[in-house]
Amino acid sequence: MKCVTCRGPAVIDIRRQNANYCVDHFFEQCRRQVTKAIDEWKMIEPSDRVLVAVSGGKDSLAIWDLLIELGYQADGFYVGLGIGEYSEVSHSHAAAFAESRGLTLLTVDIPTSYGYDIPTGSRAARRAPCSACGLSKRHLFDAAALEGGYDVLVTGHNLDDEAAVLFGNTLHWHTEYLGRQLPVLPARDGFPKKVKPLVRLTERETAAYCLLKGIDYLVDECPMAVGNRHLSYKEALNDIEVKSPGAKHSFYFGFLDRASKHFAPEADEDREGLEPCLTCGAPTPSGTCAFCRLVDRAGGHQPEPVPVELGAIRTRTTS
Ligand code: Q46
Ligand code: ZN
Ligand code: ZN
């Protein structure tokens, strides 16, 4: 197997491109794909302050590393979910990566700051763990980006993630979500700009990137992911991809090119008419936001205001 660029020994084959790469040209290929996504979708300006949502897994550490390599000024943000050993190990990977490169990792620990954890809190609130977890993370990511004055929030969603979400939303015709499934969501009142620069790379490629770069990431799946439909959609798409290399790419990018605009009006309607949450000030259709209601039902509490330099998020108040 030879590298398509230099004819040296290749370490990875990328079937959807019908190409093999040596280590250096694979790194170059990853940087090229991320740059292409950033340029094509105007994701990040060179002077932007970037906040990367970091879980300690391969995708978030790979995109943090790639953004630093590409010269962006990027801090990391980690949310402790209180999922036992899984959370402890994931935090140690995120912290070790930041330390090894002299980067800043902001951290909010939900049990410490909000008084609940995802396994018991989701049960108490009668929500599926991933639903409570996703809601908590989205709220805290947005708050951290806005309160830290960051220009853009980066998440590590890759092509497999986006194709699987698209598959699920199409299967059930969640049209209000289809209009929002874009690699860039612009900033608007109460929401930071959110971007997904890894959408041109698969999870096999982000894993290979970390392995070849010596980035130690959390390999284990979250124990709460068992039975998660998202994983079964990924498996279904992987089966299709084996028989038809490039299927995921054409499914997702074909949707962006040809279909997503048809669903945009419905998604816009969904985001209109928001007002500040009575408890935390985050945008919500009315009254108290879904996150504050979750905190309440999960038996938690709102955090005490603490200085930002201690790494926690201050409580916002409505004006
Ligand atoms: S961390 Fe949270 Fe995932 Fe675990 S509880 Fe579900 S959503 S599976 S990305
Ligand atoms: Zn090469
Ligand atoms: Zn709120």
Side-chain angles (χ1 to χ4, degrees):
M1 198 162 86
K2 287 191 171 137
C3 172
V4 68
T5 309
C6 69
R7 312 305 298 160
V11 293
I12 185 165
D13 63 313
I14 300 185
R15 287 187 63 207
R16 74 179 181 291
Q17 297 175 354
N18 198 18
N20 308 319
Y21 295 96
C22 69
V23 175
D24 287 346
H25 288 119
F26 174 61
F27 290 157
E28 186 184 86
Q29 155 73 8
C30 293
R31 289 193 294 269
R32 195 164 50 232
Q33 295 299 337
V34 168
T35 302
K36 194 168 174 183
I38 290 173
D39 291 349
E40 198 172 321
W41 292 90
K42 297 188 176 49
M43 289 182 175
I44 312 172
E45 296 297 326
S47 60
D48 278 351
R49 285 185 68 231
V50 178
L51 187 65
V52 183
V54 178
S55 68
K58 60 190 182 323
D59 302 309
S60 57
L61 293 182
I63 191 56
W64 198 5
D65 188 74
L66 281 156
L67 290 175
I68 296 297
E69 290 254 323
L70 292 168
Y72 293 101
Q73 188 203 337
D75 293 342
F77 177 60
Y78 175 86
V79 175
L81 303 168
I83 308 179
E85 197 186 346
Y86 172 81
S87 285
E88 284 161 30
V89 178
S90 62
H91 182 247
S92 69
H93 284 293
F97 176 85
E99 200 182 334
S100 71
R101 282 157 173 77
L103 299 171
T104 299
L105 180 71
L106 307 172
T107 298
V108 168
D109 185 56
I110 293 180
T112 308
S113 295
Y114 290 89
Y116 70 100
D117 60 51
I118 296 301
T120 53
S122 60
R123 270 199 302 277
R126 296 176 187 275
R127 278 186 95 121
C130 291
S131 154
C133 180
L135 167 61
S136 305
K137 285 192 291 192
R138 277 193 302 278
H139 178 92
L140 294 169
F141 292 162
D142 288 357
L146 290 175
E147 297 191 9
Y150 290 93
D151 299 295
V152 56
L153 173 69
V154 165
T155 55
H157 295 93
N158 57 43
L159 178 57
D160 298 76
D161 295 321
E162 292 304 291
V165 171
L166 176 60
F167 191 64
N169 285 339
T170 310
L171 209 54
H172 301 289
W173 291 114
H174 290 312
T175 49
E176 72 283 16
Y177 296 144
L178 284 171
R180 240 187 275 155
Q181 211 199 324
L182 301 169
V184 172
L185 288 176
R188 51 191 292 277
D189 269 358
F191 294 104
K193 181 178 181 182
K194 297 180 205 178
V195 304
K196 301 170 181 171
L198 277 185
V199 286
R200 301 187 63 86
L201 295 176
T202 64
E203 60 185 29
R204 177 170 169 265
E205 287 146 36
T206 59
Y209 181 87
C210 288
L211 281 173
L212 295 167
K213 266 265 172 148
I215 297 172
D216 209 6
Y217 64 88
L218 177 67
V219 177
D220 295 341
E221 279 284 353
C222 169
M224 312 256 89
V226 181
N228 185 325
R229 273 189 295 184
H230 185 69
L231 290 184
S232 60
Y233 298 151
K234 274 190 175 175
E235 280 166 23
L237 287 168
N238 284 341
D239 286 346
I240 296 170
E241 184 78 16
V242 169
K243 297 188 186 86
S244 175
K248 279 181 217 170
H249 182 101
S250 61
F251 179 49
Y252 177 63
F253 287 99
F255 164 76
L256 293 182
D257 287 347
R258 294 183 223 160
S260 66
K261 59 178 178 288
H262 298 298
F263 302 103
E266 199 172 336
D268 288 345
E269 263 173 41
D270 222 34
R271 294 187 118 203
E272 274 166 15
L274 300 180
E275 50 191 59
C277 165
L278 296 172
T279 304
C280 74
T284 185
S286 67
T288 304
C289 77
F291 174 71
C292 290
R293 291 199 308 270
L294 169 68
V295 172
D296 195 37
R297 285 178 21 219
H301 55 72
Q302 294 292 326
E304 291 297 311
V306 290
V308 142
E309 48 283 12
L310 293 182
I313 296 172
R314 283 174 299 184
T315 308
R316 278 176 295 169
T317 50
T318 39
S319 50

